[in-house]
Amino acid sequence: GSVWVRGGTVVNADRQEKADVLCVDGAIAAVGPDVAALVPAGAQVIDASGQFVMPGGIDPHTHMQLPFMGTVTADDFYTGTAAALAGGTTSIIDFVIPDPQEPLLDAYRKWRGWAEKSAADYSFHVAVTWWSDSVHADMGTLVREEGINSFKHFMAYKNAIMCDDETLVNSFKRALELGAMPTVHAENGELVYLLQQEVAKMGITGPEGHPLARPPMVEAEAANRAIAIAGVLGVPIYVVHVSCTEAAQAIAAARARGQRVYGEVLAGHLVIDESVYRDPDFAKAAAHVMSPPFRAKGHQESLWQGLQSGQLHTTATDHCTFCAAQKAMGRDNFAKIPNGTGGVEERLAVIWDAGVNTGRLTPSEFVAITSANTAKLFNIYPRKGLVGVGADADLVVWDPAATHTLSVKTQHSKGDYNIFEGRTVQGMPSHTISQGVVAYAQGDLRAEKGKGRYIKRPAFGPNFDAVQRRAATLQPTAVVR
Ligand code: DUC
Ligand code: ZN
Ligand code: ZN
Ligand code: ZN
């Protein structure tokens, strides 16, 4: 089939132009001012006049169907990717999270099975939650045979999936050998564990205790430690969900020293502050429990400035929905509230409205931080992240005049709460095209179960040649200043 997106303004990370886009058999066949002569008979036509035509969003951080903290998230790979498509996001990178001692390849195969029902294209970061020779070997198999080029490390969640320094160091070194990107959830899990008990001793058992047990310095310590380890080894590093000024500063300082450090920001952290945890309604406060927590308002400006200055690179959601009944598991102890919030469907609209409409970001900068940068850092560019001939026909047709009030009542996610509830945004997708097929058209979601494909991401890491050279000369005593 073919789709002719007519009369819009094509926005890429590096250019904007008035152009039609012709999609044929899942790929972009032409981009230009006059593609009419190339359009096959019977092509579907979308009138994009007055609209922007951008690469579909890529959310580099989601957790569909995640078994976590004694329960499983509400959105599975079908409902979660369907919600993504409704919001203009055409690819996700989710996480395989092995239990400690579980072979990485076993966990990987399990997640591949769960993800078969995806409606949109997907890929995986694989978490390294423990260390052994078999983990070292499995990382090699995942990179060489399965198209995995990034490994996740949880520095929090003690007695569960937390990495100690031995695991971090060994896994980062292995990632360097393989040309893969290590990524970290940066929070000092020992401090969180201690502070959760201290806060409880003070008699605070409700969700207002959650941010008290996870202050910004807990995140900054872990970010600094991970960055230092990566710096000594000479491996690039990607810090997921940077939520506070102190962690953003750690990244900027390392980059100023010439280190390859990348930072991801969640849509929620850009616009929601910690006052939500003081809501007297347990359900509302608990619905916002995710880690790292929402912060005092001042941190939002640091995150925006990081994205504007290019010191922070990607935006994501950490989409990880739990319903009220699940959040109630922590009724008497905030530490037992399953951590996670939604957003895969709202990310683009929230960032457009709070970023582009306010003048913080240009439309091209918006494309960079919602799609192109992720494609580049995880080595799927320009197949993804670009409106260009030969790229996958994953597009969002964006109506900058459309307004919508975000709400649980209109969302497609199976979560029963919307952290952006009541926020009116201007700028919404009118159409989402996935693999050259219209998957969403003005309120009509046509997500198809199983249509999503597993996307392999070849190894290399940014500037991998230089990294390899550095690895070849790495001395055990080398210290990088
Ligand atoms: N944080 C969350 O809020 N949920 C899933 C995992 C995480 O790190
Ligand atoms: Zn090795
Ligand atoms: Zn995390
Ligand atoms: Zn996460």
Side-chain angles (χ1 to χ4, degrees), residues 289-332:
V289 168
M290 55 91 59
S291 296
F294 297 111
R295 302 295 192 188
K297 211 165 179 51
H299 294 277
Q300 293 170 14
E301 196 53 40
S302 300
L303 302 181
W304 283 113
Q305 285 170 358
L307 292 169
Q308 290 171 285
S309 65
Q311 300 291 1
L312 299 174
H313 306 85
T314 63
T315 58
T317 58
D318 206 353
H319 186 90
C320 185
T321 48
F322 294 105
C323 293
Q326 297 172 295
K327 294 281 186 178
M329 292 163 64
R331 206 42 180 112
D332 304 317

Side-chain angles (χ1 to χ4, degrees), residues 104 125-128 138-140 142-143 148-153 171 175 178 180-184:
L104 266 58
H125 310 282
V126 174
V128 175
D138 282 357
M139 287 174 76
L142 287 165
V143 171
I148 299 291
N149 69 12
S150 51
F151 293 95
K152 170 78 173 285
H153 306 80
S171 179
L178 294 167
M181 177 82 88
T183 79
V184 286

Side-chain angles (χ1 to χ4, degrees), residues 61 63 152 154 157 184-187 240-241 291-292 318:
H61 192 153
H63 302 280
K152 170 78 173 285
F154 290 91
Y157 303 112
V184 286
H185 169 128
E187 282 187 304
V240 309
H241 50 45
S291 296
D318 206 353

